[in-house]
Amino acid sequence: TLSSVRWIAAVRDTQREEEWYAAVDGVRGVTIAISKVRGSNTVEMGAAIHQQLEELKKTLPPDLVLQTTYDGSIFVRDS
């Protein structure tokens, strides 16, 4: 059984000097890393996350791009 994918975040309104930033093809963005919990199936979890991301894309403004830059479940699936 798959666990539900939930949006969890801790947000703080602070100011500090920029130490690093994410960019794809020179365009700044936001990086979100998702890790599976021990005992879960990597391939199933990857598929569930991709399905949730496709649903999320439908709700985003047209100029906002959601792009996967690395997915370790593909390596596991194809091995």
Side-chain angles (χ1 to χ4, degrees):
T1 346
L2 291 176
S3 301
S4 5
V5 177
R6 296 185 181 140
W7 301 101
I8 301 172
V11 179
R12 285 183 233 139
D13 184 10
T14 63
Q15 292 182 352
R16 70 189 249 200
E17 193 172 321
E18 182 176 75
E19 296 175 12
W20 62 272
Y21 65 92
V24 175
D25 295 330
V27 178
R28 285 186 177 221
V30 175
T31 300
I32 301 172
I34 301 171
S35 301
K36 74 175 190 75
V37 294
R38 185 172 57 193
S40 62
N41 182 295
T42 301
V43 175
E44 288 178 0
M45 191 57 74
I49 290 168
H50 280 284
Q51 182 178 6
Q52 290 290 321
L53 291 175
E54 289 305 314
E55 291 300 314
L56 178 61
K57 285 179 183 180
K58 295 175 185 176
T59 68
L60 299 175
D63 61 333
L64 198 141
V65 177
L66 187 60
Q67 178 179 348
T68 302
T69 57
Y70 173 77
D71 180 357
S73 72
I74 293 172
F75 172 79
V76 174
R77 182 194 67 208
D78 293 346
S79 63

